[in-house]
Amino acid sequence: MATDLATPPKAAPKAKKPKRADKVPLGTAVLRYRWLYLMLLPGVAYFVIFKYLPMYGVTIAFQDYLPFLGYSGSPWVGLKHFEQLFSGPDFARLLANTLILAALHILFVFTAPVIVALMLNELRVNILKRSIQSLIYIPHFLSWTIVAALTYVLFAADFGVIAAWMRDLLGDTTKVDYMAQEQWFREIVILQQLWKMTGWGTIIYLAALAGVDPNLYEAARMDGAGRFRQMWHVTLPAIRPTVVVMAILASGNLLDSGFEQIWLMTTSLNREVAEVFDTYVYYAGVQNGNFSYSTAVGLFKGVAGVILIFGSNWLAKRMGQRGLF
Amino acid sequence: MTTMTETKPKQLAVNNNSSAGSRVFDTLNVVALVGLALITVLPLLYVLAASFSSEPEIASRPFFLWPEKIVTEAYEYIFATPTFIRSLLTTVVVTAVGMVVQVMLTFTMAYPLAKRYLPGRTLVLNLVIFTMVFSGGMIPTYLVVRDLGLLDSYWALILPLAINPFYLIIVKSFFQELPQALEEAARIDGCNEMGVFFKIVLPLSKPIIATFSLFYAVAIWNDYMSPLLYITDSNKWTLQILVRQLIATDPAAALSQMDRTWVPPEQGVKFAIIVIATLPILFFYPFLQKHFAKGVLIGGVKE
């Protein structure tokens, strides 16, 4: 503690970056570090082939791509596929479904880990805290297939536990197939996300909370702050930067509904509310072979995501937070 | 003086964390968190119990954690079908091979990136980070995999996911914190960078190798999208695809059981396949848990 006080943070000026080893010609550098470059090669090849080739591949969004003509031979059609998307009957529905799921996600799934982390942080019995943490992390490691399967066996109309409880609760004797019904789709999807993601999401906030100086609580107590006021004035400000960073990251994924989960939960009966950009890309592209149109949909989503992430980063900085970049 | 001695204990009593209000808060908090833990675990325990119970019991009892009579017919049925055995073997092999390939690629790429003096390092790092913000998307990636002739090949389940950029950056940060003196000593003894990497760096990295091996293994084991996209041959189904087929369709059809006289325990099979697909993850969970929090935290550190 004493050393902390002795060297206030301001007193430590940012040291200038140590100068790079004197600039050498490229050839010399390659020769000198040949082993390092050799080690770098497979990884770079991976990123070029599986990340940057597909980025080049988005050019087919502006073509009428035909597999036997290839990227270079297929005719250019400009913005045709984008016009088709924006003026088509599906766009409004896709956008609405995607945005509603995103809004529900932010409202419940994004905030739940913050709340649970605050609750865990107040838990003074260490063994209890650790056991609860270990248990609520588990679903993170289960696949969406398993989560969907669990949902199915719990909600199944004929033998599902939750379906039976709902019947008792509502005094209803009809067997409702929750998995197939439009009106239950969003509730179930958000419940799944809460179950799978909440525990894991707490980790990063708990880490931020572990760094809070206990003296601050002491001081707050001296000033007469109760548990809630301590939480409000000490704990919450301490995790605000983390929340902001997580929010920026989440904003980039706003249009990402999560392909696997939604695809697994989509049935022919709930498609109207279930279909989102992610699943639509698969449906139109891989299943129906409209590669160009489907790529255009994906590109729209990707670009919107990049704009969102940089936009919210800018906003965070405007609001006096640190941001990501 | 007198006022001091009077107010001090009083103040402590009011503001101490063991006041009545504080105790109520603590109690409610514990109750809520225990409830949360139960909601997390009870569905899994119920599935385990139901997988060992008879069809009538699943249909009639709403919720139970112990079957009236332990029955293994669902497991017997599943393990008697070639489809299941094949998909289980496929998944195990793809997971094992994929894990090795992915860990090797990630660690060899992370090491040079950890060398601050390497010309071009920042460029490569930025290109990697950019892929975390923007990607070509599902269809262009699908076309690349197709053009490489990987459709219906098990490599399609491994190579497109070969390096997770988040893991790469965590491993890079880890390498940067290794003591440089050891490497320099090895270099003086005549080791080249390759030798330093294999003889000094990797042995020092055992715990982090174990961590990311498990992470990669879990990701491949759980992957549903890649086999859905790239595998059309039902003989090459993975476990996750089979789980989906069993839950969504009629189990007998999904498992293509030849012996039609044996009626499958329809619900039991669904519970049993969930247990089987989950078991390896839960088996390795304690090992995973030991390391992941640290991994997540290093990942949060900025360059």
Side-chain angles (χ1 to χ4, degrees):
Chain A
M1 244 30 272
T3 47
D4 269 352
L5 289 172
T7 52
K10 270 181 195 166
K14 255 205 161 178
K16 266 193 179 176
K17 270 191 180 175
K19 271 193 179 166
R20 289 269 166 83
D22 29 14
K23 288 248 173 192
V24 287
L26 194 65
T28 324
V30 169
L31 208 63
R32 185 187 297 167
Y33 303 120
R34 58 190 180 282
W35 293 110
L36 287 176
Y37 284 119
L38 204 65
M39 290 170 80
L40 206 54
L41 210 58
V44 170
Y46 163 75
F47 278 97
V48 169
I49 295 171
F50 290 105
K51 299 288 180 185
Y52 280 90
L53 269 187
M55 283 186 210
Y56 168 72
V58 300
T59 49
I60 68 167
F62 307 96
Q63 295 178 335
D64 270 338
Y65 176 77
L66 288 167
F68 56 89
L69 293 175
Y71 296 103
S72 50
S74 297
W76 293 92
V77 294
L79 295 176
K80 177 182 138 187
H81 297 296
F82 293 92
E83 280 159 18
Q84 191 191 332
L85 169 66
F86 295 137
S87 59
D90 293 328
F91 183 71
R93 183 174 57 95
L94 289 173
L95 190 67
N97 287 345
T98 306
L99 288 181
I100 290 171
L101 279 182
L104 291 171
H105 181 92
I106 291 169
L107 204 61
F108 298 106
V109 187
F110 182 78
T111 49
V114 182
I115 296 165
V116 174
L118 288 176
M119 288 165 68
L120 279 169
N121 191 51
E122 296 294 325
L123 216 53
R124 305 294 174 202
V125 190
N126 231 322
I127 281 212
L128 195 61
K129 184 176 169 183
R130 273 164 192 260
S131 330
I132 290 174
Q133 276 181 273
S134 298
L135 291 179
I136 64 177
Y137 292 162
I138 291 177
H140 170 79
F141 293 99
L142 306 182
S143 68
W144 277 117
T145 325
I146 295 296
V147 176
L150 277 175
T151 315
Y152 178 83
V153 297
L154 292 176
F155 284 84
D158 40 358
F159 66 95
V161 178
I162 294 178
W165 283 345
M166 292 291 275
R167 272 200 293 282
D168 291 344
L169 205 69
L170 303 172
D172 192 355
T173 48
T174 51
K175 293 191 169 179
V176 182
D177 191 354
Y178 293 94
M179 296 287 276
Q181 289 219 333
E182 271 184 20
Q183 74 216 65
W184 289 100
F185 177 79
R186 287 174 186 135
E187 284 85 341
I188 290 181
V189 161
I190 294 299
L191 271 179
Q192 287 180 325
Q193 292 181 1
L194 278 171
W195 188 77
K196 189 167 167 19
M197 299 169 167
T198 302
W200 183 255
T202 59
I203 291 181
I204 192 118
Y205 300 114
L206 283 171
L209 288 171
V212 180
D213 186 350
N215 285 333
L216 291 174
Y217 290 105
E218 191 76 19
R221 257 202 304 281
M222 285 302 177
D223 291 342
R227 295 288 285 272
F228 278 104
R229 304 209 67 183
Q230 287 174 36
M231 210 191 244
W232 188 255
H233 291 292
V234 180
T235 313
L236 270 182
I239 58 171
R240 194 190 295 133
T242 314
V243 176
V244 169
V245 167
M246 297 310 282
I248 297 170
L249 285 173
S251 72
N253 298 329
L254 207 61
L255 299 181
D256 271 323
S257 312
F259 172 78
E260 287 193 2
Q261 183 198 10
I262 305 293
W263 182 257
L264 287 161
M265 296 305 292
T266 306
T267 65
S268 53
L269 296 169
N270 63 18
R271 171 153 283 131
E272 270 305 302
V273 295
E275 198 156 53
V276 290
F277 287 112
D278 285 313
T279 54
Y280 186 74
V281 168
Y282 176 77
Y283 180 72
V286 179
Q287 289 207 321
N288 290 342
N290 296 328
F291 290 132
S292 282
Y293 174 62
S294 189
T295 302
V297 179
L299 182 59
F300 160 73
K301 212 203 81 178
V303 170
V306 174
I307 294 172
L308 282 169
I309 201 167
F310 280 98
S312 53
N313 191 54
W314 175 82
L315 204 67
K317 278 187 175 166
R318 283 280 315 250
M319 284 158 50
Q321 298 290 329
R322 245 196 305 166
L324 260 186
F325 314 107
Chain B
M1 273 314 278
T2 43
T3 45
M4 276 279 282
T5 42
E6 267 171 23
T7 50
K8 214 177 178 187
K10 208 177 170 188
Q11 230 177 9
L12 275 178
V14 171
N15 299 318
N16 200 310
N17 275 351
S18 58
S19 72
S22 200
R23 272 201 302 274
V24 172
F25 176 91
D26 279 331
T27 314
L28 288 178
N29 193 23
V30 168
V31 169
L33 285 171
V34 169
L36 192 69
L38 288 179
I39 290 172
T40 310
V41 182
L42 285 181
L44 296 171
L45 294 177
Y46 165 67
V47 167
L48 182 66
S51 74
F52 282 103
S53 58
S54 62
E55 291 292 290
E57 194 180 353
I58 295 173
S60 58
R61 280 178 82 184
F63 179 81
F64 56 95
L65 294 174
W66 195 258
E68 275 168 353
K69 183 167 163 275
I70 293 181
V71 175
T72 53
E73 59 170 345
Y75 292 98
E76 282 163 32
Y77 181 83
I78 291 178
F79 277 100
T81 60
T83 310
F84 168 75
I85 301 292
R86 205 163 43 218
S87 71
L88 181 66
L89 277 178
T90 301
T91 313
V92 168
V93 172
V94 169
T95 302
V97 174
M99 177 187 86
V100 172
V101 169
Q102 296 174 335
V103 166
M104 276 185 355
L105 281 169
T106 305
F107 277 69
T108 44
M109 187 181 190
Y111 180 69
L113 287 181
K115 301 288 164 212
R116 290 184 191 281
Y117 52 77
L118 190 72
R121 161 188 179 271
T122 325
L123 174 71
V124 176
L125 265 179
N126 284 335
L127 287 176
V128 167
I129 289 167
F130 183 66
T131 67
M132 292 153 81
V133 184
F134 182 77
S135 83
M138 182 190 284
I139 301 301
T141 311
Y142 171 84
L143 292 177
V144 166
V145 171
R146 190 202 59 183
D147 292 346
L148 289 171
L150 292 179
L151 288 189
D152 267 334
S153 148
Y154 295 130
W155 288 108
L157 308 181
I158 296 170
L159 294 180
L161 306 167
I163 299 177
N164 180 323
F166 284 100
Y167 297 174
L168 180 74
I169 288 172
I170 296 172
V171 176
K172 183 207 68 122
S173 311
F174 169 81
F175 282 155
Q176 274 171 349
E177 279 157 29
L178 284 181
Q180 291 300 303
L182 275 173
E183 295 186 22
E184 272 151 32
R187 225 166 277 136
I188 291 166
D189 288 347
C191 267
N192 61 29
E193 286 288 358
M194 213 68 123
V196 172
F197 179 67
F198 284 108
K199 286 185 196 144
I200 309 289
V201 175
L202 282 190
L204 282 175
S205 318
K206 271 181 194 155
I208 195 169
I209 292 176
T211 308
F212 285 103
S213 301
L214 282 172
F215 276 170
Y216 273 125
V218 169
I220 307 187
W221 181 274
N222 281 343
D223 190 12
Y224 171 72
M225 188 169 157
S226 308
L228 178 73
L229 273 172
Y230 306 129
I231 305 289
T232 50
D233 182 353
S234 66
N235 285 323
K236 294 178 175 172
W237 271 354
T238 65
L239 207 51
Q240 300 296 333
I241 297 276
L242 189 64
V243 170
R244 168 62 173 173
Q245 297 293 334
L246 275 180
I247 297 292
T249 62
D250 157 41
L255 290 167
S256 61
Q257 175 71 331
M258 303 309 285
D259 179 12
R260 290 290 178 187
T261 53
W262 189 6
V263 182
E266 201 170 320
Q267 307 313 338
V269 162
K270 292 176 178 170
F271 287 97
I273 194 79
I274 299 176
V275 172
I276 294 168
T278 314
L279 221 52
I281 307 263
L282 293 186
F283 177 75
F284 284 111
Y285 180 67
F287 304 98
L288 279 165
Q289 210 215 353
K290 212 170 109 189
H291 295 294
F292 60 54
K294 211 195 278 174
V296 170
L297 295 186
I298 309 173
V301 176
K302 282 196 287 184
E303 163 82 346

